[in-house]
Amino acid sequence: MTSLTGHPPRRGPRSILPWLAAPALVVFVGFAVIPLVGVFALSFATWDGIGDIHPSGLTSWRAVLTDPGLPHALGVTFMVMAVSWAVQTPLSILLGTFLAGSQRYRAVLGVVYFIPLMLSSAAIAIAYKALLDPNFGLGAGLKIRALSQDWLGRPGLAFGVVVFVVSWQFIPFHSLIYQGGVQQIPKSLYEAAELDGAGRIRQFFSITLPQLKYTIITSSTLMVVGSLTFFDLIYVLTEGGPGDATRVLALDMYKRGFQASLMGPASAIAVILVLVGLALALLLRRLGGRDAGASQLEGA
Amino acid sequence: MTTTLTEPRRPQKDTHRERPHRSRRADRRRNWPGGLAGWLWLVVVAVPLYWTLITSFKAQNRYYASNPLVPSDDPTLENYRLVVESDFLRYFVNSVVVTAGAVVPAVLFSFMAAYAIVRGRRMRVLRAMNGLFLMGLAIPLQATVIPVYLIIIKLQLYDSLLALILPSIAFAIPLSVLVLTNFIRDVPKELFDSMRVDGATEWTTLWRLAAPLTRPAILTVTIFNALTIWNGFLLPLILTQSPDQRTLPLALWTFQGQYGVNVPAVLAAVVLTTLPVLVLYAFGRRQLLSGLTAGFSR
């Protein structure tokens, strides 16, 4: 009668369960795990992308690690990550909390809010490129000098544009996550706080924010690991320029590998990306006190 | 600030407009900073979209002369004609094939795996598999594109739509398994047990019990993957070459390269590639957003 005790029944060796998981495993191993191992291997080889692959020891790593381009690309990557996190998180929490309320005009706002979520990075980047054109874009057309800068032609401005467009694209998604998080906070907490005379701001900082802890970890993990993969947006928007001002690691990898045909060094960059991603995910998991992935699973 | 926020409740005069339990809360929890940010953000989101749309209807000579925020008094479809004549339909069909070809197996496989992981959590093999999928969440899978490129070449699939489909399935699996595991775990154990007592096999239980009960999650995962794959740029960029294998985002990019000087035409292309998802959004907005909220914030 083990099956009625509420525990998962014990399974014999012939359970079909592993077979149910097999198709996912095969594709995932074939196109994610093997490539993951492969990228380590390729970082110790020389390959131009077409011809034969030759083992070359530490040559690629030496080339990458002594290249001043690497600390720069790492720096840009972390800057984009940090600044876009700092811009997106407070705004997403604010908007998420707002959307979780029940103001009537919220529905009207909601229709437009989430459109960026549907658009491809390529479409967004192309539209912004035209919009920010110093001669024919929005600022020039409206004859507003402050808006008709050479946005993508000056390093500091281009960096700001990248952060802005990233936020434009992803704040809707993260505010959606926070909206869900806020809606799960038990209302009794607010009722109790109100009886104790806590004001709105006090309630926000003493109840909403702490209760959102795991939501913040989840959202931040997605933001931070996701920011390592910003490729299409930056590639189409600035191609890493002007100069190398917006050349993040993922773009660096693409340019070395698929444009300069240096697959070895490109693989070394990819390995660095993987390590940075893992380190950040582990760090956030530490901060959260439990598994960052599981925080989405287990619910509040 | 505090005083504004803790202002006594306003008279509840509009309560009839809303369901009673919500309106009570609305009045108590009016959120002024949120509201302000909400309207500002609306402007930030809407202006670029509006500008893109109206500019796509402007004739090129008017684009340079007119106020960018005023719609053309003589709107033209010329830009759209140009885009459609540049093989738009083919790219659209390619995108549909890749998206459907990747999403259906991705969701199917992930659902079966999630079911197995929840039901067989005592089995070491399945726990290890779950760990493997979760690891995929922490790793930027884009970092693996160079070996993926190599594998696709070795399989002689380079420059085919199948080359885009296979890695897309793999990249979709970690998050799909996570969200689906999460939902299947909520199905009461008693239901599984009674299915078992009735003599149902795992296969039957999977389709007759778990699938119907987790339909909203399945739908969410389907929509999310479809969006991601539909909008994918990197894989088409590195795994295809010939124009007839292009998907929409890549076609958009090459179109921009060719017609970059004709900004209204480029923006018409942006609108056209975006239109299919926006139409879906218009119909399925509520389902989509509630699904995403539930899927990611649990």
Side-chain angles (χ1 to χ4, degrees):
Chain A
M1 294 305 278
T2 41
S3 62
L4 295 178
T5 55
H7 292 293
R10 272 177 58 203
R11 308 202 170 268
R14 267 179 300 174
S15 163
I16 69 155
L17 287 176
W19 294 108
L20 288 178
L25 185 73
V26 168
V27 187
F28 189 70
V29 167
F31 290 93
V33 179
I34 291 177
L36 194 61
V37 178
V39 84
F40 276 90
L42 277 174
S43 71
F44 297 101
T46 313
W47 182 41
D48 62 5
I50 304 162
D52 295 327
I53 302 169
H54 303 287
S56 62
L58 288 170
T59 320
S60 301
W61 279 100
R62 210 172 290 134
V64 165
L65 292 176
T66 55
D67 185 340
L70 178 71
H72 175 79
L74 261 175
V76 175
T77 305
F78 280 115
M79 278 296 277
V80 170
M81 183 186 292
V83 178
S84 63
W85 182 87
V87 171
Q88 290 183 78
T89 301
L91 271 170
S92 301
I93 293 179
L94 191 59
L95 286 172
T97 313
F98 163 66
L99 287 168
S102 45
Q103 291 80 358
R104 245 170 295 116
Y105 49 89
R106 199 177 51 117
V108 187
L109 300 186
V111 176
V112 181
Y113 267 180
F114 298 103
I115 291 179
L117 206 57
M118 313 291 130
L119 310 185
S120 73
S121 297
I124 292 174
I126 287 170
Y128 265 103
K129 237 168 112 173
L131 181 80
L132 295 172
D133 188 286
N135 299 313
F136 307 115
L138 186 62
L142 291 174
K143 308 205 165 47
I144 302 174
R145 285 209 55 162
L147 279 178
S148 53
Q149 311 260 10
D150 187 8
W151 290 106
L152 298 172
R154 289 170 47 196
L157 287 181
F159 180 86
V161 168
V162 166
V163 169
F164 176 84
V165 179
V166 161
S167 309
W168 190 86
Q169 185 177 13
F170 292 110
I171 280 180
F173 177 69
H174 292 281
S175 49
L176 209 57
I177 297 183
Y178 284 113
Q179 181 189 346
V182 170
Q183 277 164 350
Q184 282 175 20
I185 301 174
K187 289 179 190 62
S188 53
L189 290 179
Y190 291 105
E191 281 155 15
E194 216 146 275
L195 286 179
D196 291 343
R200 284 282 325 212
I201 291 201
R202 183 73 202 274
Q203 286 181 23
F204 177 79
F205 284 104
S206 306
I207 299 173
T208 312
L209 220 45
Q211 287 284 318
L212 284 179
K213 183 178 172 196
Y214 295 120
T215 315
I216 294 175
I217 303 275
T218 301
S219 158
S220 300
T221 308
L222 291 173
M223 251 183 225
V224 159
V225 178
S227 76
L228 291 176
T229 66
F230 290 159
F231 166 79
D232 25 14
L233 186 84
I234 300 181
Y235 181 60
V236 178
L237 198 61
T238 67
E239 272 193 76
D244 277 343
T246 54
R247 185 164 170 149
V248 291
L249 275 181
L251 196 65
D252 199 38
M253 174 191 81
Y254 173 81
K255 287 196 155 185
R256 284 179 203 245
F258 293 93
Q259 287 185 349
S261 297
L262 297 168
M263 291 295 188
S267 299
I269 301 278
V271 171
I272 296 174
L273 261 177
V274 169
L275 295 179
V276 171
L278 272 178
L280 286 169
L282 287 176
L283 181 77
L284 282 159
R285 180 174 153 172
R286 264 281 158 82
L287 284 178
R290 62 175 184 173
D291 186 277
S295 72
Q296 298 177 41
L297 284 178
E298 288 155 14
Chain B
M1 273 282 272
T2 324
T3 45
T4 352
L5 288 167
T6 52
E7 207 76 69
R9 288 166 222 186
R10 303 174 105 212
Q12 306 193 350
K13 52 184 173 187
D14 289 333
T15 38
H16 61 281
R17 297 280 303 267
E18 294 223 4
R19 278 167 294 167
H21 71 280
R22 296 195 75 186
S23 65
R24 217 179 30 147
R25 216 175 144 235
D27 276 308
R28 187 155 46 83
R29 311 200 37 77
R30 207 169 281 276
N31 178 350
W32 292 111
L36 186 67
W39 285 104
L40 280 178
W41 191 251
L42 183 72
V43 175
V44 172
V45 169
V47 168
L49 296 174
Y50 166 79
W51 176 83
T52 303
L53 190 67
I54 62 163
T55 308
S56 71
F57 289 104
K58 284 182 181 173
Q60 203 181 353
N61 54 349
R62 301 221 171 189
Y63 165 66
Y64 297 116
S66 61
N67 182 325
L69 289 180
V70 177
S72 173
D73 49 12
D74 182 21
T76 171
L77 284 171
E78 187 59 20
N79 304 314
Y80 285 90
R81 196 183 58 82
L82 189 64
V83 178
V84 172
E85 280 175 1
S86 73
D87 261 353
F88 178 82
L89 192 65
R90 176 189 286 272
Y91 308 137
F92 177 81
V93 171
N94 285 348
S95 275
V96 171
V97 170
V98 171
T99 306
V103 170
V104 172
V107 173
L108 190 70
F109 294 173
S110 301
F111 180 70
M112 287 171 16
Y115 176 88
I117 285 165
V118 173
R119 295 290 289 149
R121 75 201 102 176
R122 290 228 179 136
M123 299 171 75
R124 205 171 299 148
V125 188
L126 288 168
R127 276 210 305 267
M129 263 185 219
N130 193 28
L132 194 67
F133 293 144
L134 281 176
M135 191 189 70
L137 283 177
I139 292 171
L141 286 177
Q142 274 82 346
T144 62
V145 291
I146 293 172
V148 165
Y149 169 74
L150 176 62
I151 291 171
I152 290 295
I153 290 177
K154 291 283 179 208
L155 292 175
Q156 306 204 320
L157 290 173
Y158 181 75
D159 204 20
S160 72
L161 294 182
L162 195 57
L164 305 179
I165 291 174
L166 291 171
S168 297
I169 300 174
F171 285 19
I173 283 175
L175 201 65
S176 308
V177 170
L178 176 79
V179 172
L180 291 171
T181 318
N182 187 8
F183 273 86
I184 298 174
R185 203 169 274 154
D186 285 351
V187 176
K189 289 191 190 70
E190 294 73 22
L191 293 178
F192 285 118
D193 290 337
S194 65
M195 285 287 280
R196 205 175 134 80
V197 169
D198 289 347
T201 60
E202 293 288 0
W203 188 249
T204 320
T205 314
L206 171 74
W207 295 116
R208 294 276 172 76
L209 177 71
L213 285 178
T214 48
R215 224 178 59 188
I218 294 175
L219 203 61
T220 297
V221 168
T222 305
I223 293 172
F224 186 77
N225 287 330
L227 267 178
T228 315
I229 295 166
W230 181 270
N231 288 333
F233 181 80
L234 179 61
L235 291 178
L237 179 68
I238 63 167
L239 298 178
T240 66
Q241 187 176 36
S242 45
D244 58 357
Q245 305 295 322
R246 266 176 212 154
T247 54
L248 283 178
L250 193 65
L252 183 60
W253 180 65
T254 50
F255 186 83
Q256 186 223 214
Q258 284 165 26
Y259 294 90
V261 282
N262 189 349
V263 174
V266 170
L267 294 177
V270 169
V271 174
L272 268 186
T273 60
T274 302
L275 216 53
V277 276
L278 287 186
V279 169
L280 285 180
Y281 178 61
F283 286 110
R285 194 181 70 85
R286 207 166 277 273
Q287 171 68 45
L288 189 156
L289 295 184
S290 61
L292 283 179
T293 324
F296 286 97
S297 51
R298 286 155 56 91

